[in-house]
Amino acid sequence: MISKLTIDKIFSTIRVEEIVGEYVQLKRAGSNFKGLSPFHDEKSPSFVVSPSKQIWKDFSTGKGGTAISFLMEIENFTYPEALRHAAKKYGIEIEEDQKIFSEEARQANTERDILYKIHEIANDYFQELLWNSQEGKSIGLSYFKERELKDDIIKKFQLGYSPEKKDAFTAYALEKGYNKEILEKSGLSIFPENTPSGVDRFRERVMFPIHSFSGRVLGFGARILKNNVKTAKYLNSPETEIYHKSNVLYGLNQSKQAISRKNICLLVEGYMDVIALHMSGIENVVASSGTSLTTEQIKLIKRLTENVTILFDGDNAGIKASFRSIDMLLTEGMNIRVLLFPDGDDPDSFARKHPQDYVEKFIEEKAMDFIDFKAEILLKDVGEDPIKKAEAIRDIVKSVSFVQNALKREVYLKQVSNKFGLSEQSLFNELDVQQQITQNQTQHQHVQQQRQNVAPPKMEIVPPEEDRGDRFLYDVLFMENKLVDHMLMFGDIVLKRSNDKDEEYQITVIEEILHHFEEENYSFLAKPNELIIHHVREGIQKDELRSGSFFINFMDEGITQKVVDALLTPDDLENWASRNIFPPNYGDKIAEQVRGDVLLHKYRYIDYLIKETAKQLEEYRTADENRYYEIIKQITMLKQASIRLSDMIEYSPIKGIYANRK
């Protein structure tokens, strides 16, 4: 297990804006950063990162926490995995507590963890063979050298080699203690009936590991080098619990920082295209790895940028089939340009022929918007045929219909109008037709999906209104949460108070609210609040004031969420100062807020006690007359206290709380 000293060092070193910034395109908004939620589709940013507090909050889903909890949420890491990933990023050496390490290892030994581990071992194995075995050097390394790859690039992408022997890796993994079942589930080994001892899926191939966004190996792509063998040129890992090809982009782990920095992503087709461009110094590039582009892959790119340039081979026969990818990118709100390389060239060969400056300038100057690109492809063989020309224009307008922003749609239609000499009205009419067709298709698909996925409806008994919640209990809980929020946000602020004799004294927010809870002998309704107060009391005994910052790094989901909700409010979504608006800050009048909220909590709590005490009246009305009158006396005293409090807080049952305050 990772030692407490190392965990403290990790939390004191890492920066939440840097960790989150690798997954979300963040923009400065006052003292915070804002971006689109990585957990929820949205058009307006609702994701906030606070560098000063070192926390994040996604207002669209309600999730929030620290940099470590973000990694756990977005990468499905365990707590130790997230810590190790952060430590590796910041060059922090991990110290293990050996006494309980083996126990942690046993607990983390789930099938998913083992799948990640076996792929890590396979990746090391293939790299070791490439660099240090005779077969690897003479076949695999020689191939990469023929492709003019430098050693640093080969190591950067962790390229490797799988040997000719049919069970080389399988035997190696079995010897290390991995069983047949996990090897088969990983897709690295196959166990046919005629070879029960198992064979390697990848044999005599150069290996391209496929990494997750954070850098974990999920699977492999493998290229065979012999031309006289009747088998697929490229072979990929099958779908597994950790590898879903539609959710992965090759090279994204190595390219994400460059994509975010340059605010544009180059999209290519193959592994070698990505690697060759990296070697030429162009690093903002990813590949769809031989699969049709998916919505999930587009969303991965959109975390980093909304600008995409698609790079095509000049003689690629599948260019027309790529129109679907263009429409998908437009649907997701991406800004698209397309580049066709000269005939006979692809990104790999072009990058190896020319220096970086030339390639970058060529991409910048020759890339077209999607309208010019589709027009060039569709009108190439049309000639003077008016019907074919009309069909081509209809296809272009169809793509415009996928553009989400109304202003952009109008600009694109004006461009089509000028390009083909057509009236804007006729194009808008055609746009309406295409949008209706798309809407009908979407609705049909949605209905079909619902029919497949939705279970038959069941009879449901709707509870009466009075059983749906205790209003009195809700009011008490609301104020309980508010008081704990004050402790978290403003706990160390010193308040000036005076006693019954008008003698002034000073007390912190934490101490005043804690005194109130103890005076009432209050039992907390929310477990996170109870835990927070426990630690606050413990801090008081040690002469410590434990407010929000103390609880930030707690690995208790309830406490972390509570603290984040308290420290980041919806107001943090707005950068009012940029509009010369300076609203009062929450907490500017904390002394009055604490005094008023303590009184209001008392008032709500007494109302709740009156209701609960009154429940006992019927029980003792005839059974125990003395007890019955004692209860009436208690209720009377509680009601008198309630009346006094209502006067103090100026409560009106008609107009509500603080009715007469200006």
Side-chain angles (χ1 to χ4, degrees), residues 267-291:
L267 183 60
V268 297
E269 291 185 277
Y271 305 136
M272 287 304 300
D273 294 330
V274 173
I275 293 169
L277 285 168
H278 266 260
M279 192 168 67
S280 74
I282 300 170
E283 298 184 331
N284 56 322
V285 54
V286 297
S288 56
S289 305
T291 65

Side-chain angles (χ1 to χ4, degrees), residues 602-657:
K602 282 178 183 283
Y603 179 79
R604 296 302 192 194
Y605 187 47
I606 287 173
D607 269 2
Y608 173 69
L609 291 177
I610 291 171
K611 188 202 72 152
E612 290 298 301
T613 306
K615 288 179 180 179
Q616 303 175 48
L617 284 174
E618 282 303 316
E619 180 183 346
Y620 293 105
R621 186 185 295 274
T622 55
D624 188 336
E625 188 173 323
N626 290 332
R627 178 63 182 145
Y628 176 76
Y629 285 110
E630 283 178 14
I631 294 171
I632 289 179
K633 191 182 295 184
Q634 286 178 18
I635 293 173
T636 303
M637 291 174 63
L638 287 169
K639 284 185 176 180
Q640 288 173 348
S642 177
I643 291 169
R644 287 197 301 272
L645 281 169
S646 67
D647 290 338
M648 292 173 69
I649 60 178
E650 300 179 30
Y651 172 70
S652 163
I654 304 298
K655 297 180 181 179
I657 302 299

Side-chain angles (χ1 to χ4, degrees), residues 310-563:
I310 308 173
L311 308 184
F312 282 120
D313 305 354
D315 57 356
N316 190 318
I319 286 177
K320 284 190 180 180
S322 72
F323 289 171
R324 175 180 169 275
S325 298
I326 290 174
D327 293 344
M328 290 178 67
L329 285 160
L330 291 171
T331 300
E332 293 300 318
M334 306 297 272
N335 305 314
I336 311 168
R337 300 177 74 207
V338 186
L339 174 70
L340 286 174
F341 283 102
D343 284 350
D345 267 326
D346 57 23
D348 175 13
S349 61
F350 194 82
R352 284 188 282 118
K353 284 180 185 177
H354 304 287
Q356 177 182 349
D357 291 346
Y358 182 88
V359 176
E360 287 181 330
K361 188 176 180 181
F362 183 85
I363 293 172
E364 178 62 32
E365 293 180 353
K366 300 296 182 181
M368 301 175 277
D369 65 41
F370 73 92
I371 292 175
D372 288 338
F373 168 70
K374 291 192 75 170
E376 181 175 318
I377 300 301
L378 293 172
L379 297 176
K380 188 179 292 183
D381 303 319
V382 165
E384 298 301 318
D385 189 328
I387 296 176
K388 289 183 178 178
K389 186 175 182 180
E391 286 299 321
I393 295 171
R394 180 175 286 114
D395 199 320
I396 294 170
V397 175
K398 179 184 175 184
S399 288
V400 175
S401 73
F402 288 104
V403 176
Q404 300 299 300
N405 183 280
L407 181 60
K408 285 184 180 179
R409 278 200 307 270
E410 186 167 346
V411 171
Y412 282 134
L413 281 187
K414 285 182 181 293
Q415 184 179 336
V416 175
S417 171
N418 294 333
K419 189 175 186 67
F420 296 104
L422 299 172
S423 72
E424 290 182 21
Q425 187 58 53
S426 64
L427 292 173
F428 273 105
N429 292 340
E430 179 61 32
L431 178 69
D432 289 340
V433 171
Q434 294 300 330
Q435 285 180 319
Q436 189 61 50
I437 292 171
T438 302
Q439 185 178 350
N440 291 340
Q441 289 174 343
T442 303
Q443 287 176 347
H444 176 72
Q445 291 170 359
H446 182 64
V447 169
Q448 291 296 107
Q449 188 174 6
Q450 280 187 324
R451 286 175 180 172
Q452 292 173 6
N453 297 338
V454 176
K458 297 180 180 179
M459 291 292 289
E460 182 179 343
I461 300 173
V462 180
E465 188 68 34
E466 59 268 19
D467 292 341
R468 291 185 180 181
D470 187 328
R471 180 180 64 82
F472 292 92
L473 199 63
Y474 173 83
D475 288 342
V476 178
L477 178 59
F478 180 84
M479 293 312 303
E480 174 188 308
N481 281 324
K482 201 167 183 182
L483 290 177
V484 174
D485 286 350
H486 289 333
M487 297 174 83
L488 292 170
M489 295 183 74
F490 312 110
D492 56 354
I493 291 179
V494 177
L495 308 174
K496 292 181 179 179
R497 300 299 197 207
S498 57
N499 59 24
D500 296 338
K501 298 178 182 178
D502 285 332
E503 296 170 340
E504 290 192 353
Y505 67 95
Q506 293 184 333
I507 189 170
T508 63
V509 169
I510 278 180
E511 290 169 318
E512 180 158 300
I513 295 175
L514 189 60
H515 174 70
H516 157 65
F517 285 138
E518 290 174 344
E519 185 180 50
E520 298 295 334
N521 196 22
Y522 181 72
S523 297
F524 289 90
L525 301 175
K527 186 67 175 177
N529 291 339
E530 185 179 357
L531 291 171
I532 288 168
I533 295 300
H534 167 75
H535 286 287
V536 168
R537 285 196 183 108
E538 188 178 77
I540 295 290
Q541 292 169 2
K542 297 180 179 179
D543 293 326
E544 298 174 5
L545 286 175
R546 295 178 174 179
S547 56
S549 57
F550 174 84
F551 296 97
I552 284 295
N553 300 333
F554 267 51
M555 283 319 298
D556 180 301
E557 189 174 341
I559 290 181
T560 302
Q561 191 64 57
K562 170 71 180 173
V563 174

